[in-house]
Amino acid sequence: MKLVDHVVRSFKVAKVFRENTDKINSIDFSPNGDTLISCSEDDQIVIYDCEKGTQMRTVNSKKYGVDLIHFTHAKNTAIHSSTKVDDTIRYLSLHDNKYIRYFPGHTKKVVSLCISPVEDTFLSGSLDKTLRLWDLRSPNCQGLMHLSGRPVAAYDPEGLIFAAGVNSESIKLYDLRSFDKGPFITFKLSQEKECDWTGLKFSRDGKTILISTNGSIIRLIDAFHGTPMQTFTGHLNNKGIPIEASFSPDSQFVFSGSTDGRVHVWNADTGYKVCVLNADHPAPVQCVQFNPKYMMLASACTNMAFWLPTADENA
């Protein structure tokens, strides 16, 4: 089935899970699309089976809290940042709920965490104005960059370069093999006045970068030249929360949550709003992602909703 406008408009909630007692702050699909992991401010990690539409397992992280959760490449393992005790990043074995390794170093809240698409390395950015590069096999930081403001970071789809957004006004691109030499290019954008950048994502084709914010604005820029391409608006964010914006796997559509509980969808090329999907989410939708392999969407407030298309592609 091809993702086109009428198919996107036909998405309906197929399943709602009400396992959490507080807002879900981060979600991540496994690379093969079979499973989805979420973490919540109630300190729970929940793993879902995407094919069966069932909840597989719940893991508690009461001591350290949990945010910015990501699957690693190994089966049944994840990394996450902490919300209590300290700002150490933790590497968790999900099947026996044991920590494999700790990654200490940040001295303030970790606000950006991303795993390489090709190897066992990851990036973390913190309010301590540093960006750190790690290898899952070592507790020691492999690289450290001091920045002038709050960082957000993302790997490109090939895992060869990474982008660091700094101070909600510039994006620096680094080559992973020589990041210690500094960025090979810096894109200067106009400083956000009303909000902060809270997330970066490369499109799957590597051509564009999506910038999420804690305001009611999402930006799309050209990944090669830094040229602003689209500004997506019209979704509500009157609570200053970091609302996630995501691409569809074909890079054609952009999805975002909203504080009014709905999911907004735009055409990435034209900037045109395709539709607003109503999920009956009772609280702000902070997380929205499209499954990398299957035709399904996940959105989360306190509840987790799985969406499926109801349209016939030949309609």
Side-chain angles (χ1 to χ4, degrees), residues 8-278:
V8 173
R9 288 190 194 106
S10 81
F11 268 77
K12 296 274 185 293
V13 174
K15 195 84 188 262
V16 177
F17 301 90
R18 297 181 174 86
E19 312 306 323
N20 294 101
T21 56
D22 208 333
K23 80 168 175 196
I24 294 167
N25 49 26
S26 176
I27 66 175
D28 188 43
F29 281 103
S30 60
N32 64 7
D34 290 349
T35 48
L36 175 73
I37 195 165
S38 74
C39 63
S40 162
E41 305 206 340
D42 63 13
D43 307 329
Q44 286 194 98
I45 297 166
V46 184
I47 303 147
Y48 301 90
D49 183 315
C50 297
E51 273 195 293
K52 297 189 180 121
T54 55
Q55 184 196 332
M56 292 164 70
R57 198 158 57 249
T58 300
V59 175
N60 286 310
S61 176
K62 296 285 180 207
K63 185 175 176 186
Y64 302 114
V66 55
D67 197 359
L68 301 176
I69 197 149
H70 289 277
F71 280 115
T72 67
H73 299 295
K75 204 165 166 50
N76 279 332
T77 58
I79 54 169
H80 68 79
S81 65
S82 314
T83 57
K84 303 177 199 172
V85 183
D86 59 23
D87 299 292
T88 295
I89 295 158
R90 295 181 161 82
Y91 181 20
L92 179 65
S93 165
L94 296 163
H95 74 95
D96 55 4
N97 195 12
K98 288 193 169 68
Y99 286 109
I100 302 167
R101 197 163 283 116
Y102 299 104
F103 303 96
H106 284 301
T107 55
K108 287 188 176 164
K109 182 179 164 71
V110 174
V111 290
S112 187
L113 193 61
C114 50
I115 200 135
S116 163
V118 294
E119 55 188 10
D120 286 334
T121 61
F122 67 94
L123 282 164
S124 61
S126 155
L127 294 179
D128 64 16
K129 299 184 183 174
T130 65
L131 200 58
R132 289 173 181 260
L133 183 65
W134 308 86
D135 187 306
L136 281 171
R137 294 161 295 197
S138 162
N140 305 320
C141 163
Q142 308 290 303
L144 173 63
M145 281 144 283
H146 291 276
L147 304 165
S148 59
R150 176 195 177 116
V152 283
Y155 284 91
D156 83 314
E158 262 88 57
L160 297 173
I161 65 169
F162 66 89
V166 187
N167 242 356
S168 307
E169 63 175 347
S170 61
I171 290 183
K172 299 171 183 291
L173 297 185
Y174 295 83
D175 186 317
L176 271 155
R177 290 156 302 195
S178 57
F179 64 87
D180 47 339
K181 295 190 173 68
F184 62 86
I185 193 164
T186 298
F187 306 138
K188 192 93 163 98
L189 300 155
S190 33
Q191 169 101 43
E192 297 294 346
K193 304 234 179 347
E194 310 287 310
C195 57
D196 299 314
W197 293 355
T198 51
L200 291 186
K201 284 182 188 174
F202 277 86
S203 56
R204 182 77 73 88
D205 60 15
K207 291 177 181 169
T208 56
I209 298 172
L210 192 62
I211 304 169
S212 306
T213 72
N214 57 6
S216 48
I217 195 162
I218 301 160
R219 301 199 184 279
L220 185 71
I221 67 161
D222 181 288
F224 302 107
H225 309 107
T227 330
M229 294 172 71
Q230 301 294 348
T231 300
F232 306 112
T233 55
H235 58 298
L236 195 64
N237 186 0
N238 52 11
K239 297 200 164 44
I241 60 173
I243 288 183
E244 177 178 37
S246 302
F247 287 104
S248 54
D250 61 6
S251 313
Q252 300 296 308
F253 296 94
V254 170
F255 297 83
S256 167
S258 172
T259 49
D260 65 6
R262 299 188 298 174
V263 174
H264 295 246
V265 192
W266 297 267
N267 181 303
D269 292 337
T270 62
Y272 168 78
K273 184 169 282 185
V274 178
C275 58
V276 180
L277 299 168
N278 200 348

Side-chain angles (χ1 to χ4, degrees), residues 290-312:
F290 207 97
N291 188 304
K293 292 283 189 286
Y294 300 109
M295 188 68 89
M296 73 166 280
L297 183 70
S299 63
C301 62
T302 319
N303 303 338
M304 169 70 75
F306 283 6
W307 302 71
L308 295 171
T310 53
D312 172 12

